[in-house]
Amino acid sequence: MALFHPVCLIDNDVDGKLFVKESALQILQKIEQPVVVVAVVGLYRTGKSYLMNRLAGKQTGFELGSTIESKTKGIWMWCVPHPTKAGTTLVLLDTEGLGDVDKGDSKHDTKIFCLAVLLSSTLVNNSQGTIDNKAIEELQYVTELTEYIKVKSSDDDEDDTEFVKFFPSFIWVVRDFTLEQKIKGKSVTEDQYLEFALKLKSGNSRPVKEFNLPRECIRNYFPSRKCFTFPFPTTSEKVSRLESLDSADLSFEFLEVTDRFCKFIFDKSEIKKLKDGYIVTGRVLCQLVKTYVDTISSGQVPFLENAVLTVSVIENESAVKEGLQVYQTGMEKLKDSFPLELRDVCAEHERLSSIATQTFMGRSFKDSEGTYTKCLEEEMNKLFDGYLHLNEEASKKRCENLLTTLSAPMTEKLKQGFYAIAGGYVLFSQDLEDIVKKYKTQANKGVKAEDTLEEFLKQKSVDSNAILQADKKLTETERKIMGERLLHPTTEHDG
Ligand SMILES: Nc1nc2c(ncn2[C@@H]2O[C@H](COP(=O)(O)OP(=O)(O)OP(=O)(O)O)[C@@H](O)[C@H]2O)c(=O)[nH]1
Ligand SMILES: [Mg+2]
């Protein structure tokens, strides 16, 4: 499922309130593949959209701005096939630049930042220049995360480490990096440079605490960190139209870091997972987006466990449906060969139930109480009862048809009064016995073979009785006539 262009996922309404775009949700809803979600955050006008386009392997896509006004609004999404992980979709989230003073809601940026953290498996923090105190202070939103995101609704005193189970890995990207990468005269790697910038000061004074707080937050919430320093991309005249430039116009070093950055994301960025390792597919991400945006935009604090619970309900309901579908499709096929013996229907029921349960398990999520497993079982048993009934009906019909065919000559004879003679009962009984014999030799009559025969014989016993009575009467009369003849042997001859 590839989208040829980015779409708006989360937008601002006229009052600046965030809302989800239904059309984008429909795209996510259809993605059954696991997703790697890379979100970029950072100050406005710092080349975030440009970088995301590079990740999509495209020159253009997310719109760039060429003025000083911030361009991207809300959160935009681009779903592309993962370039190196087959069967996986790469979801790129480009966010509205932070720090633009024109915004109405002072908490707007925090909300965007929180959503990026909540939805991504890799968070790219984009900044310009150097990682100095100013750059870290610009990431003040991390210090508010505990206020804006909670793990459980019950626990007041939360352990920061709980976040780690839900939070993305973290990449700090520095654009237009001009400094020499040296600490105390010694060359260092980009990662060492980042770790140096995040070093804590010792002491308990207020300035020290203020200095340490964002650093502590970054270190605690994002234990997996990586840094890339990008040099200035091109000459200053060309930089404002970067997307229309050939790679020949870009500096070699810039291209090298861009390639390394993209390769790192493709190789190391993990599939988005929920707590306990549950893999997020496009469909699950769709539920997460809905849940989180609804909560955040209504001014409430999203509880990660609640979101997981909401997703689990939706996913488990779908898992039951999917399992049931597998079962039903199989049983519908079996139905074509009804009537079957009970053991054959049962065997197929068992086989399909087990496949359906496996299908369910593949998708179910946190069904520790077994509520949905039970629900699937109950629904399958209900369907099974229906199929058993259909199998009985099919058997009954086949047996009835068979008996109608086998007894057709007898029916004709009855009509013509063939048995209405002395000794007719014996003839009728022989014919009936014949029918039963033939009936019993026929295969594939199904579960209702005995019952239907019994019912047939019950019906025939009415005829049988009538014939017996008539037979008795006729025999009696005949005997009487015979007796008369014996008594008066001449009468008849003479008469
Ligand atoms: N100096 C410099 N300019 C860049 C770089 N990357 C992109 N630009 C230019 O910066 C301008 C803004 O780029 P965008 O990618 O739109 O920046 P953004 O961070 O998405 O901006 P907002 O959406 O407004 O937050 C464009 O003119 C780009 O050509 C870079 O690494 N260095
Ligand atoms: Mg942008």
Side-chain angles (χ1 to χ4, degrees):
M1 164 90 215
L3 259 187
F4 298 112
H5 55 89
V7 293
C8 183
L9 176 64
I10 301 165
D11 205 354
N12 310 297
D13 67 11
V14 276
D15 303 325
K17 206 170 153 194
L18 295 167
F19 70 95
V20 187
K21 290 283 244 192
E22 197 52 46
S23 49
L25 289 183
Q26 277 171 19
I27 292 163
L28 279 180
Q29 183 71 34
K30 289 193 198 109
I31 301 177
E32 300 275 342
Q33 291 184 342
V35 287
V36 170
V37 190
V38 180
V40 67
V41 293
L43 281 200
Y44 70 110
R45 318 303 302 130
T46 49
K48 297 184 296 299
S49 299
Y50 175 80
L51 193 64
M52 288 286 112
N53 287 343
R54 304 312 307 210
L55 281 179
K58 296 277 173 354
Q59 186 85 353
T60 56
F62 290 115
E63 274 188 59
L64 315 194
S66 51
T67 64
I68 50 153
E69 248 181 288
S70 66
K71 183 73 191 175
T72 311
K73 300 285 176 207
I75 297 181
W76 285 66
M77 170 182 86
W78 199 353
C79 303
V80 295
H82 197 286
T84 58
K85 290 187 179 110
T88 308
T89 298
L90 177 63
V91 179
L92 301 171
L93 298 181
D94 185 21
T95 66
E96 176 172 325
L98 308 171
D100 183 359
V101 284
D102 281 350
K103 290 172 195 167
D105 179 1
S106 62
K107 293 294 168 210
H108 184 83
D109 283 354
T110 316
K111 291 176 183 173
I112 294 279
F113 184 79
C114 286
L115 284 170
V117 169
L118 289 168
L119 297 174
S120 64
S121 51
T122 294
L123 183 74
V124 178
N125 178 53
N126 191 67
S127 77
Q128 234 170 357
T130 55
I131 309 182
D132 52 10
N133 205 31
K134 186 175 150 282
I136 289 175
E137 274 170 6
E138 280 162 7
L139 202 57
Q140 51 169 304
Y141 313 99
V142 282
T143 63
E144 295 177 70
L145 278 176
T146 47
E147 223 176 288
Y148 281 85
I149 301 171
K150 300 269 181 212
V151 175
K152 295 185 203 106
S153 44
S154 52
D155 212 352
D156 289 347
D157 232 3
E158 278 179 352
D159 184 359
D160 282 357
T161 54
E162 276 288 297
F163 280 134
V164 173
K165 296 180 189 154
F166 296 89
F167 276 14
S169 57
F170 182 83
I171 301 179
W172 194 313
V173 160
V174 189
R175 310 292 280 274
D176 301 346
F177 184 74
T178 45
L179 294 180
E180 262 190 280
Q181 229 162 257
K182 279 188 174 167
I183 299 169
K184 291 179 189 149
K186 255 173 115 184
S187 290
V188 292
T189 63
E190 294 157 309
D191 293 340
Q192 285 167 332
Y193 172 67
L194 173 63
E195 291 314 305
F196 180 75
L198 294 178
K199 254 201 166 137
L200 304 178
K201 278 186 184 166
S202 52
N204 263 327
S205 68
R206 205 168 144 199
V208 168
K209 275 187 182 161
E210 277 172 8
F211 177 89
N212 284 346
L213 181 64
R215 288 169 175 80
E216 273 168 345
C217 289
I218 297 169
R219 294 164 74 111
N220 290 346
Y221 305 155
F222 306 107
S224 154
R225 300 182 289 272
K226 180 88 192 146
C227 178
F228 289 90
T229 53
F230 285 67
F232 202 80
T234 181
T235 58
S236 48
E237 315 86 72
K238 289 180 182 163
V239 80
S240 61
R241 44 187 181 91
L242 220 48
E243 60 183 335
S244 58
L245 294 187
D246 256 14
S247 49
D249 284 322
L250 298 172
S251 95
F252 174 77
E253 290 79 10
F254 180 82
L255 287 172
E256 186 271 323
V257 184
T258 308
D259 280 353
R260 212 154 37 78
F261 168 76
C262 290
K263 194 169 178 313
F264 180 84
I265 295 263
F266 300 153
D267 290 349
K268 297 285 180 344
S269 227
E270 287 186 16
I271 286 168
K272 171 83 177 161
K273 292 196 182 101
L274 294 179
K275 200 181 148 221
D276 302 335
Y278 187 76
I279 283 180
V280 174
T281 59
R283 204 185 42 234
V284 174
L285 185 64
C286 168
Q287 300 303 336
L288 284 178
V289 174
K290 265 202 270 193
T291 314
Y292 288 142
V293 175
D294 286 352
T295 316
I296 288 181
S297 71
S298 66
Q300 289 167 293
V301 177
F303 293 107
L304 292 166
E305 301 237 300
N306 288 6
V308 171
L309 210 66
T310 309
V311 170
S312 79
V313 168
I314 292 164
E315 280 297 287
N316 283 334
E317 278 171 2
S318 307
V320 169
K321 239 189 236 163
E322 217 168 87
L324 217 52
Q325 185 70 45
V326 168
Y327 176 80
Q328 198 168 8
T329 310
M331 287 306 268
E332 279 297 308
K333 236 184 240 158
L334 188 73
K335 197 178 87 180
D336 292 341
S337 28
F338 279 177
L340 290 168
E341 291 305 321
L342 187 60
R343 61 167 185 280
D344 294 333
V345 185
C346 288
E348 189 62 357
H349 161 74
E350 292 296 332
R351 193 183 74 84
L352 290 169
S353 303
S354 139
I355 301 176
T357 308
Q358 278 166 24
T359 308
F360 165 82
M361 298 292 233
R363 194 168 159 183
S364 73
F365 169 48
K366 274 178 88 107
D367 186 29
S368 41
E369 311 261 296
T371 321
Y372 290 92
T373 317
K374 215 170 124 212
C375 173
L376 173 68
E377 253 165 46
E378 280 169 9
E379 291 295 317
M380 282 196 294
N381 284 338
K382 249 191 244 164
L383 285 178
F384 182 47
D385 282 347
Y387 285 112
L388 285 180
H389 181 70
L390 289 176
N391 189 45
E392 284 174 3
E393 291 288 296
S395 164
K396 198 172 161 208
K397 201 164 166 203
R398 176 171 292 179
C399 292
E400 279 171 357
N401 286 344
L402 182 59
L403 285 168
T404 307
T405 311
L406 291 175
S407 64
M410 175 187 262
T411 312
E412 193 53 36
K413 280 180 185 173
L414 275 169
K415 238 194 244 166
Q416 290 172 1
F418 178 82
Y419 304 109
I421 52 166
Y425 180 68
V426 174
L427 293 176
F428 178 82
S429 301
Q430 272 168 357
D431 281 353
L432 194 60
E433 214 171 281
D434 215 33
I435 292 170
V436 172
K437 234 187 245 163
K438 280 185 187 153
Y439 176 79
K440 287 197 167 159
T441 58
Q442 293 279 336
N444 305 326
K445 295 191 296 289
V447 286
K448 282 288 177 186
E450 291 301 316
D451 289 358
T452 318
L453 180 63
E454 210 171 283
E455 185 60 29
F456 172 80
L457 290 176
K458 214 158 92 192
Q459 280 167 11
K460 284 292 164 255
S461 72
V462 178
D463 292 326
S464 169
N465 268 338
I467 290 166
L468 181 62
Q469 293 315 317
D471 189 352
K472 265 188 194 160
K473 244 184 225 161
L474 288 168
T475 312
E476 188 68 19
T477 318
E478 217 161 79
R479 215 177 31 227
K480 260 188 203 158
I481 294 168
M482 288 296 279
E484 296 262 313
R485 273 197 200 146
L486 283 176
L487 278 176
H488 315 282
T490 51
T491 332
E492 207 175 309
H493 284 276
D494 298 342

